[in-house]
Amino acid sequence: MNWKNILTTLFIMIPAFAVFTPNIATASTVAGDQRRDVSFSVEIKQAPGNLAIKGLARNNLHHKIYQLQLFAVVLDENGKPSGNEAVSIGPASLALDQSQQFNLTLPGTLAMNARNIRLEYRYHLPDYAERYWSWTYGRVMITPEGDSKS
């Protein structure tokens, strides 16, 4: 095989691999604006004494984010936190267009009468990670029925 055939084969194979993306199963309900830096797909299940949130977090904007952390709290009718907060620590890093599954369980009987769930997240950016270790924050509001507000 000469170098022209190798080069031609290489140029034919590169686009074929570029369109391949792994199939990631997503939850049924989408929370928040998908044009955000991090988007979420969540599924909320109520059980006796707790509220379980199972979901997927996806990096939509940055080349890489570090130490993604999620915090969920149930809000009462007046928008005040009621009950305990659930915390999920994600992977050490999450590259662009990659997703990470998470599970949050909000304990307590107040979760059964919840009107809204506030999902907050924070992470480090690679540009600042070595020097400052400052956090980047975001927030999404989710109702138990699955509607969302940013």
Side-chain angles (χ1 to χ4, degrees):
M1 225 180 182
N2 63 16
W3 66 273
K4 289 182 182 179
N5 289 343
I6 293 173
L7 192 59
T8 304
T9 305
L10 184 65
F11 280 120
I12 291 172
M13 293 181 74
I14 288 175
F17 287 114
V19 291
F20 173 75
T21 56
N23 187 8
I24 299 173
T26 59
S28 60
T29 310
V30 176
D33 186 359
Q34 299 303 304
R35 294 169 288 168
R36 298 175 68 106
D37 52 352
V38 179
S39 60
F40 299 94
S41 298
V42 296
E43 184 177 12
I44 301 169
K45 293 187 179 180
Q46 293 185 346
N50 67 29
L51 189 66
I53 303 170
K54 181 180 179 183
L56 198 66
R58 180 181 170 94
N59 176 8
N60 294 326
L61 183 62
H62 302 291
H63 173 69
K64 191 175 278 190
I65 59 176
Y66 294 100
Q67 297 178 347
L68 177 63
Q69 298 179 4
L70 301 169
F71 307 91
V73 66
V74 177
L75 305 176
D76 64 9
E77 294 82 18
N78 299 323
K80 306 265 185 202
S82 62
N84 297 324
E85 181 178 86
V87 178
S88 172
I89 308 298
S93 66
L94 190 62
L96 181 64
D97 293 333
Q98 282 190 341
S99 300
Q100 176 68 35
Q101 292 183 353
F102 64 89
N103 292 310
L104 297 168
T105 302
L106 293 161
T109 57
L110 293 174
M112 300 305 290
N113 298 325
R115 290 190 46 118
N116 290 311
I117 300 168
R118 183 173 64 209
L119 181 65
E120 296 180 357
Y121 60 94
R122 69 180 187 175
Y123 57 86
H124 292 297
L125 289 175
D127 297 340
Y128 302 106
E130 294 86 18
R131 292 177 280 169
Y132 306 110
W133 283 106
S134 63
W135 291 101
T136 301
Y137 294 91
R139 176 184 293 181
V140 177
M141 298 294 290
I142 308 167
T143 62
E145 294 79 30
D147 300 328
S148 65
K149 301 173 260 183
S150 311

